[in-house]
Amino acid sequence: MVTAVCFAKRGYEVVGVDPDSRRIELIRNAKAPFFEPSLDVYLKETVENGRLKVTSDSVANAGSDFAYITVGTPSADDGSIDLTYIRNAAAAIGKSLRKREGYQVIVLKSTVIPGTARNVVKPILEEQSGKELGRGFGLCSNPEFLREGNAVYDSESPDRIVIGGQVDDIERLEMFYREFYGQSHHVIKTTYENAELTKYANNSFLAMKVSFINMIANLCQKTTGGDVEDVAKGIGLDKRIGSLFLMAGLGWGGSCFPKDLKAIAAYGKTINVKTTLIDAAISVNDEQPLKAVEMAEKLSGDLRGKRVAILGLAFKPNTDDIREAVSIPIIRKLLTTKAKVAVYDPAAMPNIRALFRDELQYAETAMDCINRADCCIIATEWDEFKKMLPSIFIQNMKRPVVVDGRRIYDPLTFIEAGVIFSAIGLGET
Ligand code: UDX
């Protein structure tokens, strides 16, 4: 969706194909099917000026110079990825290539394990089109590194572009990208497999960095005088480490990190290679969310019958996505303790409501959520929560207990104001 609107916004003719007719209808009416900053604006402009068209007709791409495969690759039960949508998309494109004259480059953007372009997509394209790779069509691996919540910005200004494939096809795609992004962008030209692996290595490294700082946070929290914020600042200024992705919290979630780490670990098993660091990053992350409940119990005692407010449900701010969000295991644990759980998120309420139905109290605002609460857990660092002063918690809660799971508040200010406060990675003073 984001790739499509960004190309269309620059004046390219884009046809989006999706089998989901409800989604097609939304997009035709210039409504984004999910929340993403700027997407609505881009969508409105490009649908209205006719640069972006959408359809469920799977051969609609037949006239294009490039055909992007951007379908999902969900986790299968064993952690490996399910390639059903990739296979279907490749088959549909292959069929449309049969009658097509001229050359089309198929660009595989979906996250797939090494070998997928060469061993899965290429044979399907060849079989369905009756053509050979390099004659009538080309194939490139071109992983996507955008972040949710920053998707439009990342699509227009990527740190680098990675293209895997055969030299001629890479050149064709590179020419298009040089036109789109300008001459100065870093372009890594490589094999299919290196391109595919780069995506997994990238996400695993970032997730490992977060799990690492969360492990240090757990050490700090049990150390008198410890504070992970200062330690993160201290190591982040070492250029070899870097300060990004060192924000300790309740763990990582979303549609990528959890799925991708599981997939690359599962791939390691199939080729008999140990993925020890990735396994450790997953293991730290599995335990991290429930630290919030432990901290709440430490400050509030038995939570049975108590009103616990959770501020933030999306897996991170600026998105309505709750896939693998840490709020979910926290809510589930709180429900087993028989707490009364009140929740609020600026964007993700409909998604959480669809999951938990009448098990929770759904608040209209953050204030409404903490009202008469015995304890409040910050699970996502939305800007609007950062602005909440200690007095708001003191005046509205039954007992002003705040568990800062995302380190958005200054501990001293909150403690001195009279809030009963604890935060991830903050030891006793
Ligand atoms: C990620 C990658 O960043 C992106 O390159 C890839 O294309 C898709 O996966 P995304 O899932 O949108 O993007 O979110 P990201 O901003 O990377 O955050 C992932 C998770 O890590 C979130 O749950 C976030 O809260 C958590 N996180 C991130 C931390 O807990 N601390 C940090 O310092 C950074």
Side-chain angles (χ1 to χ4, degrees), residues 191-245:
T191 61
Y192 291 124
E193 289 71 21
N194 286 336
E196 292 163 331
L197 203 45
T198 303
K199 168 72 190 216
Y200 283 109
N202 206 88
N203 271 356
S204 305
F205 192 87
L206 292 172
M208 206 173 65
K209 212 173 164 189
V210 178
S211 278
F212 177 82
I213 201 66
N214 285 342
M215 178 194 76
I216 299 292
N218 297 338
L219 290 171
C220 288
Q221 210 169 320
K222 288 276 166 77
T223 304
T224 305
D227 187 350
V228 70
E229 294 273 275
D230 286 350
V231 178
K233 226 176 269 163
I235 64 172
L237 284 169
D238 186 324
K239 288 193 189 68
R240 294 167 300 177
I241 296 176
S243 60
L244 300 177
F245 276 70

Side-chain angles (χ1 to χ4, degrees), residues 218 221 249-251 284-298 303 325-337 377 403 424:
N218 297 338
Q221 210 169 320
L250 295 173
V284 170
N285 202 56
D286 284 345
E287 289 178 13
Q288 201 64 10
L290 296 189
K291 294 265 175 322
V293 181
E294 283 168 27
M295 288 156 78
E297 281 172 335
K298 199 166 168 209
L303 296 174
V326 299
S327 61
I328 297 171
I330 295 174
I331 292 172
R332 291 218 165 101
K333 179 72 186 176
L334 287 171
L335 290 174
T336 64
T337 68
I377 296 172
V403 173
I424 278 287

Side-chain angles (χ1 to χ4, degrees), residues 36 111 143-151 154 160 199 202-203 206-207 209-211 213-214 243-258 260 285 314-317 319 321 323-326 379-381 405-406:
E36 181 65 40
T111 302
E144 176 56 69
F145 298 99
L146 62 77
R147 294 161 295 172
E148 289 183 36
N150 292 76
D154 286 351
R160 63 359 203 136
K199 168 72 190 216
N202 206 88
N203 271 356
L206 292 172
K209 212 173 164 189
V210 178
S211 278
I213 201 66
N214 285 342
S243 60
L244 300 177
F245 276 70
L246 284 182
M247 245 168 58
L250 295 173
W252 35 266
S255 65
C256 288
F257 283 6
D260 291 355
N285 202 56
F315 84 95
K316 66 174 196 179
T319 175
D321 197 342
R323 283 175 289 178
E324 306 277 342
V326 299
T380 316
E381 65 279 26
R406 294 291 179 185

